[in-house]
Amino acid sequence: MPELPEVETTVRLIRPSLVGRTITGASVAWRRTVGERSFEARVTGARIVSVWRRAKYFVIQLERDGSPAGSLVGHLRMTGRVIVEPASQATPDYGKVALALNDHHVMHFVDVRKFGRLVWHADAAAELADLGPEPLGDEFTAAWLGEALRERRRVLKPLLLDQTFVAGLGNIYVDESLHRAGLHPLSKSERVKPAQAAVLHREIRAVLADAIEREGSSFDTFYRTPEGNPGSYQDQFRVYGRDGKPCLACGATI
């Protein structure tokens, strides 16, 4: 499932093609992707004013006649992908939603396994309010992390995967961050010392920044950027998916 770096990459690449454009029409091939019958009416005629990410979600903010008109909140799930291309090109395989734009381009939401979602919400921020702090944001400090780990008293890896605790992390980047910080995934969070929490904070940020720079991880055939390219962070994995192989740090079998 795409995690924070993959969704951030998607947002950065589609933003220039969407902001300022008006949605002139909508076509839905798989109704569960959008969730409601009024989806087409909600978005047609709306202007895209911003595109941003929250955790593993991407948000396309809309306005109509200068007033807020809700947002599209998307989740790629396992196999979702967003493509913006000229309207003259053929509809891509597995296209579930198509949004026609006033510059003769179309935004396609493509999803092989049909788990992804692109849903209209009146208030995206309220819809996503239960998520934890962004690990690359100002609220996520080493001091906060150390205190929050001690308060939760949970197993470390499941806690970091909890989106209400920290937003956007999944198996790949939690595994890589814990390994780089020298912390066992099954450690109890309340036993993590402040100095260890500071190292973990640093490594989470470093892993995410490196993964974003490399446009995410493509360890299967599904994740591709909106431009159709694979990410390359999988070439940097130290532990994820390396079961039975020697540790790059100590040489022991993972």
Side-chain angles (χ1 to χ4, degrees):
M1 178 183 295
E3 303 178 27
L4 186 156
E6 290 76 36
V7 181
E8 180 66 25
T9 297
T10 296
V11 164
R12 291 184 181 188
L13 290 176
I14 66 174
R15 182 184 288 132
S17 300
L18 295 181
V19 172
R21 310 301 191 272
T22 297
I23 300 172
T24 58
S27 175
V28 179
W30 182 252
R31 186 58 55 176
R32 289 185 185 178
T33 300
V34 300
E36 62 170 320
R37 292 288 172 184
S38 58
F39 177 85
E40 291 90 336
R42 300 275 196 193
V43 303
T44 299
R47 180 176 177 270
I48 298 170
V49 294
S50 64
V51 181
W52 43 280
R53 179 195 56 76
R54 178 74 169 103
K56 300 178 186 179
Y57 297 87
F58 64 90
V59 180
I60 300 173
Q61 195 166 336
L62 307 174
E63 71 172 16
R64 199 184 299 274
D65 298 325
S67 299
S71 300
L72 295 175
V73 179
H75 201 301
L76 302 176
R77 300 289 174 88
M78 294 182 67
T79 60
R81 184 178 164 212
V82 180
I83 306 170
V84 182
E85 59 186 14
S88 58
Q89 294 193 21
T91 300
D93 293 338
Y94 307 106
K96 299 299 180 285
V97 181
L99 302 180
L101 306 173
N102 65 333
D103 64 347
H104 305 293
H105 282 68
V106 179
M107 188 194 100
H108 295 282
F109 187 85
V110 178
D111 189 12
V112 176
R113 294 185 177 175
K114 303 178 180 179
F115 295 147
R117 295 292 180 264
L118 185 65
V119 180
W120 181 90
H121 290 288
D123 188 340
E127 184 66 23
L128 304 175
D130 291 338
L131 294 169
E134 289 285 329
L136 296 177
D138 294 339
E139 295 181 5
F140 184 74
T141 65
W144 176 89
L145 180 60
E147 183 177 353
L149 290 174
R150 290 192 296 275
E151 289 177 347
R152 298 309 193 277
R153 304 179 66 85
R154 289 176 55 186
V155 176
L156 192 51
K157 179 178 176 179
L159 177 58
L160 292 174
L161 291 174
D162 185 341
Q163 298 299 292
T164 65
F165 180 69
V166 178
L169 298 178
N171 277 309
I172 294 174
Y173 302 109
V174 168
D175 284 354
E176 293 297 305
S177 299
L178 288 173
H179 184 264
R180 288 172 55 151
L183 292 169
H184 196 285
L186 299 182
S187 301
K188 294 297 183 65
S189 67
E190 70 271 21
R191 296 180 182 175
V192 177
K193 298 177 181 179
Q196 292 175 309
V199 174
L200 178 59
H201 172 269
R202 182 189 70 210
E203 295 302 340
I204 288 174
R205 287 187 172 233
V207 166
L208 292 176
D210 196 7
I212 291 171
E213 183 178 351
R214 296 172 181 272
E215 297 191 323
S217 303
S218 293
F219 57 89
D220 57 27
T221 60
F222 294 115
Y223 170 68
R224 295 292 183 270
T225 71
E227 297 174 342
N229 301 319
S232 63
Y233 189 72
Q234 67 276 5
D235 299 332
Q236 307 300 311
F237 287 170
R238 297 187 182 187
V239 64
Y240 183 82
R242 300 191 69 249
D243 306 58
K245 297 180 180 180
C247 174
L248 298 177
C250 70
T253 300
I254 296 174

